[in-house]
Amino acid sequence: MSDTDNSTLHPNSFQKLILVLLTLLFGNIVPVFADDDPLATLGFTDTSDAQLVSTFRAPKPLSQTAENVTVVTSTEIEALNAHTLADILDTVPGIQVQHNGGPGITAYTTIQSISYNFTQVYVDGVSITNLGAGFSDVSLIPARIIERIEIVKGAASSVWGQSLGGVINVITKSPEQRALGGIASASIGSRVTTDNSLQLSGTSGHTGYYLSGGFLGSNGLLPNTQDAINNAYGKLTYDLPNHGLLWGTFFYTHADMGDLFAPAYDLKELGYKRYLLGSVGLRYPLNNRLELEVSGHHTYNKDAESYFNISNGAPWSGSPDLPTSIATELQSGGNIKLTWRGDNNLLVVGSDYDHLEEYYNSSDGSTASPFSRRVDRWGIFLNDTVTFGPVAVIPGVRIDHTQTAGDQFSPALGATWQLTDSTLLRAYTARGYGLNVLGTTDTPAIKIWTMQVGVESKAVPYLWLKGTLFRNQTWNDAVGQQLALGTEFEVRTTPVFHTSLAAGYTFTDTTMAGYEVNDLARHTVQLALRYDDKTYRGVLTGRHIFWNALPSEEGSYDGLMWDLHLGATLYRHEDNSLEVFFSGHNLFNGAQYDTNQIPSTPRWFEGGVKVAF
């Protein structure tokens, strides 16, 4: 494997290598056209009738969903050879991800250029937001445990509460319907970047289980971005009479890493993260129309940071024996909801409760340290979907008591119209809010009015098209109003000779008092070329984000960042298979970042093997 030395491959040699790899992959293409279903694309399946939960907290068809929603399927995830949730989100139109380094290093996610502090990330409905830092670290969630991802773009406060920018809901894998199955995987790449894991899954009688454990580590694809991450996940289910279900989940991550290298400030950061999430739940039909769901959860998050001078290794602040800062957070809560399914409507009513605790201590002399804070928050919500033939009307409302930013009222109204069998129209407007970090003093909530209109169509032969116009107006009592006008467009093709294309483009123009706001992405482009004949597979992805940073930040926006992911199944028999895979990241060694303090990772490669049994 190549290391991060850019001189190891001459450009001409590198291009020849890529050509050889593509020839090996596509050399055995069988001239078979797509199936009769024009949207049975490779990973890009037609989800118009998929039963989704993230927009409503209860399953309903995407064709009756007014919000702009993207679904990432298990087929897409597997094809990417992804390490973490951050790697997957890189490929989603309308999503911008800022990486501090390679796999497992902190990553920040924004939706349609709204600040990453207001993107809410959930794992099976449980928030993983860091209360003190105010963001969800999507690099901590391993890709192998994910069944699918449902992304709501725009305010979703009438359903989820504080979700000003949108919601990313990770649905984890469920137990397989056999006694025992599993997957073992191992990979190694540049700078000894390794990802090794084992998954076990099965069902015995009424009881099912899914267990996963792994290690992700690297010597650092950028200076001072080494990491060593151990994680484990488990899910147990028990089938109850009348299609009821009892479940419990457990997730733990133990991460040590370097997270910052800033030569301009003679500064580097080292730290560790400890994260635990547990949940239990019950879903039970009370009759053929009414269903009850009750769940509880607890999370523990500890984040320690230490800063040192690059030049001499001396502590930048605080004591050399103790981390510069330690933040510990605990969250305990639960929810209850009732879902009623009528002949022409779906009604969900429920309540959420969370008890939050934060403890912070710093040795840098900060006047805000040490401090502790305890907060109780609750909310009640009611959402309905009423259908009139091809039209669905979706009203919703939620009231939240935040304790730190007053009470919040979040109404929403949406509609969908199945104009023809192949074309769907959407419209949505909502008021939402986002909360600032949990600190020593209370600060006002950030408010938003969002409006969206969109169309989704497969009327053009061999194409699936989706377009959305949006208007986001944000404000609070301390900051002036910001207005973001934008559009998002996606196109996907039917596979021909097992090959399909996809493209996404998002444009956002954000202003305050008529002046442009910097440091929010203005242009975002995602491209993908996919091949899959069930024996060989390949994905070539490209992405470009114009962060629109201030000139003083010396950002770089070179073209597109290209990644190549290949796989070949060497053996398959029933549930058993042997697969080898290869990935090349940042193939042309591009530089694309919003500040020169956190540059892009240089070109790097990795390869591995996966055994299913």
Side-chain angles (χ1 to χ4, degrees):
M1 296 295 172
S2 168
D3 58 21
T4 55
D5 183 358
N6 298 334
S7 65
T8 55
L9 281 177
H10 188 275
N12 291 334
S13 300
F14 174 72
Q15 292 171 7
K16 291 178 181 178
L17 173 61
I18 295 300
L19 180 61
V20 170
L21 291 171
L22 290 174
T23 302
L24 290 173
L25 176 67
F26 297 116
N28 294 322
I29 292 178
V30 181
V32 176
F33 286 83
D35 298 332
D36 293 336
D37 180 0
L39 287 183
T41 58
L42 303 164
F44 290 119
T45 52
D46 180 7
T47 56
S48 58
D49 291 321
Q51 297 292 314
L52 306 183
V53 299
S54 300
T55 61
F56 214 64
R57 304 279 289 272
K60 76 168 184 175
L62 184 55
S63 57
Q64 296 177 8
T65 298
E67 299 94 329
N68 179 12
V69 174
T70 294
V71 181
V72 186
T73 67
S74 58
T75 303
E76 290 177 278
I77 296 170
E78 182 179 358
L80 292 172
N81 299 336
H83 297 283
T84 70
L85 175 59
D87 301 329
I88 303 168
L89 297 177
D90 267 332
T91 66
V92 178
I95 302 293
Q96 300 92 24
V97 182
Q98 293 176 291
H99 296 269
N100 278 18
I105 301 298
T106 303
Y108 306 88
T109 304
T110 63
I111 299 177
Q112 293 178 341
S113 302
I114 293 178
S115 174
Y116 62 83
N117 289 326
F118 303 117
T119 297
Q120 292 296 307
V121 180
Y122 294 84
V123 176
D124 289 328
V126 180
S127 172
I128 66 166
T129 296
N130 183 308
L131 302 175
F135 80 103
S136 302
D137 187 356
V138 293
S139 68
L140 290 180
I141 307 301
R144 68 177 179 275
I145 72 172
I146 302 174
E147 176 64 29
R148 71 178 188 277
I149 306 167
E150 300 174 0
I151 302 167
V152 184
K153 302 171 187 175
S157 294
S158 66
V159 176
W160 293 97
Q162 60 155 329
S163 51
L164 180 149
V167 166
I168 299 171
N169 192 19
V170 174
I171 289 62
T172 57
K173 292 180 178 179
S174 297
E176 294 189 31
Q177 296 303 308
R178 53 179 173 143
L180 174 64
I183 298 175
S185 178
S187 67
I188 188 167
S190 304
R191 299 289 297 166
V192 199
T193 300
T194 59
D195 191 353
N196 307 318
S197 66
L198 175 64
Q199 304 172 66
L200 298 174
S201 182
T203 300
S204 177
H206 295 285
T207 304
Y209 63 92
Y210 171 77
L211 305 172
S212 175
F215 171 82
L216 174 62
S218 175
N219 285 345
L221 297 170
L222 289 171
N224 198 58
T225 61
Q226 68 280 2
D227 61 354
I229 304 171
N230 293 280
N231 54 62
Y233 179 83
K235 177 187 288 185
L236 295 176
T237 64
Y238 185 82
D239 294 329
L240 299 173
N242 301 322
H243 303 287
L245 184 69
L246 183 66
W247 74 85
T249 69
F250 172 85
F251 175 63
Y252 178 69
T253 289
H254 181 289
D256 299 298
M257 65 182 63
D259 216 17
L260 179 67
F261 187 81
Y265 301 102
D266 190 30
L267 177 67
K268 66 178 181 179
E269 175 190 350
L270 298 173
Y272 66 80
K273 300 177 182 181
R274 309 289 184 261
Y275 185 80
L276 180 148
L277 182 155
S279 69
V280 294
L282 166 70
R283 184 174 68 246
Y284 194 80
L286 301 179
N287 55 44
N288 61 351
R289 292 186 181 272
L290 186 64
E291 181 180 81
L292 170 69
E293 183 173 317
V294 182
S295 66
H297 59 265
H298 176 78
T299 65
Y300 168 86
N301 183 36
K302 187 173 184 179
D303 197 335
E305 301 171 338
S306 297
Y307 298 93
F308 303 90
N309 295 332
I310 296 174
S311 57
N312 57 16
W316 185 65
S317 63
S319 166
D321 301 321
L322 296 172
T324 303
S325 65
I326 300 178
T328 304
E329 302 172 359
L330 298 98
Q331 175 177 330
S332 300
N335 61 70
I336 181 171
K337 68 181 180 184
L338 287 169
T339 303
W340 187 77
R341 298 181 182 274
D343 293 332
N344 64 347
N345 78 309
L346 171 63
L347 179 67
V348 178
V349 58
S351 178
D352 299 321
Y353 168 79
D354 281 295
H355 174 75
L356 314 174
E357 298 184 22
E358 181 180 9
Y359 304 92
Y360 179 80
N361 189 31
S362 174
S363 59
D364 63 2
S366 170
T367 57
S369 173
F371 82 84
S372 62
R373 190 77 188 272
R374 297 184 179 185
V375 172
D376 291 291
R377 292 173 175 163
W378 55 263
I380 55 175
F381 58 90
L382 186 151
N383 294 275
D384 200 5
T385 300
V386 185
T387 56
F388 306 93
V391 175
V393 179
I394 307 105
V397 66
R398 180 177 172 121
I399 299 174
D400 283 287
H401 173 72
T402 69
Q403 187 172 328
T404 59
D407 296 338
Q408 303 297 324
F409 176 67
S410 305
L413 179 63
T416 64
W417 179 16
Q418 192 74 53
L419 187 62
T420 68
D421 289 341
S422 58
T423 301
L424 179 71
L425 304 181
R426 292 187 171 94
Y428 176 72
T429 184
R431 174 173 170 156
Y433 75 97
L435 299 176
N436 288 292
V437 298
L438 188 62
T440 56
T441 59
D442 296 344
T443 56
I446 310 295
K447 311 288 183 64
I448 187 172
W449 264 113
T450 186
M451 297 184 213
Q452 304 173 2
V453 292
V455 59
E456 181 177 341
S457 179
K458 51 183 178 180
V460 179
Y462 307 109
L463 292 180
W464 172 86
L465 304 168
K466 180 182 176 183
T468 303
L469 298 175
F470 57 88
R471 179 185 189 273
N472 295 324
Q473 185 172 10
T474 57
W475 75 95
N476 73 359
D477 295 334
V479 179
Q481 293 188 2
Q482 287 189 0
L483 178 63
L485 303 176
T487 182
E488 182 179 301
F489 181 74
E490 296 179 66
V491 58
R492 306 169 184 169
T493 70
T494 300
V496 176
F497 297 110
H498 308 293
T499 304
S500 65
L501 297 170
Y505 171 70
T506 305
F507 170 77
T508 307
D509 180 36
T510 305
T511 59
M512 178 184 289
Y515 293 93
E516 184 179 61
V517 177
N518 294 99
D519 296 313
L520 296 175
R522 188 172 177 85
H523 303 279
T524 306
V525 178
Q526 279 101 353
L527 302 175
L529 169 65
R530 298 173 176 265
Y531 174 85
D532 190 351
D533 66 2
K534 307 305 180 184
T535 298
Y536 300 99
R537 60 175 173 83
V539 183
L540 178 66
T541 65
R543 66 184 182 278
H544 171 82
I545 304 175
F546 179 74
W547 290 104
N548 199 28
L550 291 169
S552 60
E553 297 183 50
E554 300 182 7
S556 179
Y557 312 103
D558 288 352
L560 285 93
M561 303 278 284
W562 293 97
D563 297 332
L564 177 66
H565 307 287
L566 306 176
T569 302
L570 305 182
Y571 170 82
R572 179 186 290 116
H573 178 69
E574 296 180 346
D575 296 319
N576 303 315
S577 66
L578 172 63
E579 177 186 324
V580 293
F581 56 89
F582 167 87
S583 289
H585 304 268
N586 193 6
L587 294 178
F588 301 103
N589 216 34
Q592 189 178 119
Y593 45 83
D594 64 334
T595 172
N596 63 356
Q597 295 304 316
I598 307 177
S600 304
T601 54
R603 179 171 56 234
W604 68 285
F605 302 100
E606 61 180 331
V609 61
K610 181 187 297 183
V611 179
F613 54 89

